[in-house]
Amino acid sequence: MINKIYDNDKKNAYFTILFCSLVLLQLLLLFYFGNQKKGFFIDELWSYNLSNSYMFPFIGDAKDYFGRWLPSSFFLDSLTVQPDQKFEYGSVFASQAADVHPPLYYYLFHTISSLTRGVFSKWQGLILNFIFFAGNQFILWKISNQLIKDKIISLFIVAFYGFSVSALSTFLIIRMYALLTFFTLLITYLIILFDRKKRIPIALCVAITLSYFLGFHTQYYFVIYAFFISAFYCIFLLLIKKYNKLFIFISCTLLGIFSSIICFTPSLHHIFDGYRGKEAFSNFGSAGFIQKVDYYLNAQLSQSIFLLLFGLSSILLLFLLLRKFVKFEYSKTESRLLVICDFSFKPYLRFEISSDRILIGIIFLASLISYLFVVQLSSITDVRYIYFVVPLLDLVAVSIFFNISGLLIKKKITLYFIFFLILLSFSASNIRTNNIHWIHKKEGQAIELVKNTQDSRIIYIDKNEFWWPTMAYFNFFINAKEVEMITENNISKIKLPKNIDRVFIVISRFCNKQNIIKYLNEKLNLKDAKVIYEDWHGQVYELSK
């Protein structure tokens, strides 16, 4: 007995070392791609501004700052914590009340920035994300061990997700999606633990309540997943008549959500009256759902393993059904193939479903429905919005493929080898810098040009005097000497020092670029104009003599 316990402990230690080594390798890969990251998406820059600009979120009207030259330090200060403004969480609260997102991620980001005052670096956001990544992989490992009970397959689940384009992109964008994924996994794991317990400890109730509270304070999409997994689990408890557990679980979830609303009352405005909330409700009944789903699924084909494994599982299942109900007999004398279909069933069927598979089914339904809801509700078609359910879909897909293929292949070592080949081929074909999102390599090259130009000046031209989409180019602004923001109607007022022979022009997508460049060529006597960078928000030109 003692030897058996010792052997189990030794085996668990061995798999723990393997898991830690795997996550360390994935973290090294994240650091590699993090080092390749050269620019920022507009929302990433807002992560810095809303977290760190003291009582001055760059939202809405910016007319007081248009029409005059501003030093680059003005923009840099808006992205960093100043020496006398560290740990000012009241400012973060106020900024998020004015914005459209809850504040938890911004509190954490502000904490990191307060520890590195006056510094603007991608590593502030990336290190925070990498910490979440380690936590995510640990919880995913724990969930897999609880539900699948095969530690090697659990390692494959961690590997499939951690080496996927979806995972790498989730933790390379400096936004709240990494933290959202963490709480999505955490609440799933806590529900599994809750289901395992005959007597519910107070600590577990507190953990569930706190997870709902913190998840709500991270991103409102958390509520969608939390609602569906909670609803399906409650139905399960009702069916098996565990009324006492049902009451405790509902009490924990409601306490978590209602306390979240009380602590951050602007959330009600964000959800029901804010512009993003109104867009979501408007999108809910809008057309184009099939086209959206088609876009997301096509995008996910090369980013996550779950679609491939679901497809392979379907093929294997079809083969098993054909083998069970269809027989083929070839007649040599008549030279023809006889197909015999026997779909007869016994009048009385009795089968059992383990609680593990029921929980996997609940997780699958909650993840899939959340995926589809987010696809329909989001105003912008972008896969970053569904990142948070991808690890759970990967887990379900691996579990289904493992169980179905196990009906055909009895030797587990053969199954493990098949999983290894799939992992190797899928990862090797997709993990490239060009496939990973949020690297912004071309932006980095353009910024280097601005940075290396002596006394570089940038003129930003937009149709209106708003911070959006000005924020998209703050990474350019902080690397110039001075910046002037001006409207398209006022470009005749632009004045440059006489000794300037090069200037950078950023033109918003809302303006007539050709007319503006033609006018500035003549006015500034800078005839050579070339595009050095362009994105969805506009174009950056270099004008020189």
Side-chain angles (χ1 to χ4, degrees), residues 247-402:
F247 175 77
I248 295 171
F249 181 73
I250 291 176
S251 299
C252 292
T253 57
L254 291 180
L255 180 60
I257 296 297
F258 284 128
S259 58
S260 300
I261 295 171
I262 291 169
C263 290
F264 189 65
T265 52
S267 61
L268 294 175
H269 170 75
H270 291 171
I271 295 170
F272 297 106
D273 199 40
Y275 79 93
R276 283 295 188 212
K278 288 180 178 179
E279 284 178 353
F281 283 111
S282 174
N283 291 337
F284 186 75
S286 64
F289 175 69
I290 300 300
Q291 290 79 3
K292 281 186 175 182
V293 171
D294 180 63
Y295 168 83
Y296 277 86
L297 292 181
N298 282 324
Q300 289 292 142
L301 275 173
S302 61
Q303 295 187 27
S304 306
I305 197 67
F306 68 85
L307 284 176
L308 174 62
L309 291 183
F310 281 142
L312 291 175
S313 298
S314 301
I315 294 170
L316 287 178
L317 184 60
L318 180 61
F319 173 77
L320 286 169
L321 290 172
L322 287 173
R323 195 173 73 168
K324 176 70 176 176
F325 299 111
V326 181
K327 293 181 180 179
F328 299 93
E329 293 181 4
Y330 181 71
S331 175
K332 292 182 178 180
T333 57
E334 298 181 13
S335 298
R336 63 179 180 177
L337 181 67
L338 182 64
V339 180
I340 304 170
C341 300
D342 182 7
F343 297 108
S344 60
F345 293 94
K346 294 181 180 180
Y348 177 74
L349 291 175
R350 185 175 184 270
F351 55 90
E352 295 180 359
I353 305 175
S354 68
S355 60
D356 290 339
R357 291 186 177 179
I358 290 172
L359 289 171
I360 289 173
I362 288 172
I363 292 169
F364 174 62
L365 287 175
S367 302
L368 179 62
I369 295 173
S370 298
Y371 186 106
L372 297 175
F373 259 74
V374 171
V375 166
Q376 180 65 359
L377 293 177
S378 57
S379 299
I380 301 170
T381 305
D382 196 313
V383 291
R384 71 181 188 268
Y385 295 123
I386 50 85
Y387 282 160
F388 70 108
V389 294
V390 167
L392 293 172
L393 289 172
D394 284 351
L395 181 149
V396 172
V398 170
S399 174
I400 292 173
F401 183 72
F402 176 63

Side-chain angles (χ1 to χ4, degrees), residues 113-261:
S113 299
S114 294
L115 295 171
T116 54
R117 294 181 295 279
V119 173
F120 173 74
S121 169
K122 64 185 176 183
W123 294 109
Q124 292 164 307
L126 291 179
I127 292 298
L128 189 62
N129 279 1
F130 296 169
I131 293 170
F132 299 149
F133 175 81
N136 280 3
Q137 294 297 75
F138 176 73
I139 299 173
L140 185 59
W141 163 252
K142 298 291 282 186
I143 293 172
S144 302
N145 284 333
Q146 285 282 340
L147 296 179
I148 299 175
K149 294 181 173 60
D150 186 307
K151 291 186 181 294
I152 294 178
I153 294 299
S154 295
L155 284 173
F156 274 115
I157 289 170
V158 172
F160 276 126
Y161 176 66
F163 287 122
S164 69
V165 173
S166 283
L168 295 170
S169 299
T170 300
F171 298 94
L172 288 171
I173 181 172
I174 303 174
R175 294 291 286 165
M176 74 293 291
Y177 305 114
L179 187 60
L180 171 62
T181 308
F182 175 81
F183 284 116
T184 300
L185 289 173
L186 181 59
I187 197 60
T188 304
Y189 179 58
L190 291 175
I191 288 174
I192 295 169
L193 292 184
F194 185 89
D195 187 70
R196 295 282 189 265
K197 302 290 184 181
K198 291 183 178 179
R199 294 176 62 87
I200 310 300
I202 296 295
L204 182 55
C205 293
V206 172
I208 291 173
T209 300
L210 196 59
S211 296
Y212 276 85
F213 177 88
L214 295 175
F216 183 93
H217 274 240
T218 300
Q219 225 275 1
Y220 297 127
Y221 283 153
F222 172 82
V223 178
I224 298 175
Y225 178 78
F227 170 78
F228 283 111
I229 193 168
S230 301
F232 291 134
Y233 184 62
C234 286
I235 292 170
F236 172 60
L237 291 177
L238 272 174
L239 291 174
I240 61 175
K241 300 180 181 180
K242 293 290 182 72
Y243 303 122
N244 187 46
K245 290 184 80 169
L246 176 64
F247 175 77
I248 295 171
F249 181 73
I250 291 176
S251 299
C252 292
T253 57
L254 291 180
L255 180 60
I257 296 297
F258 284 128
S259 58
S260 300
I261 295 171

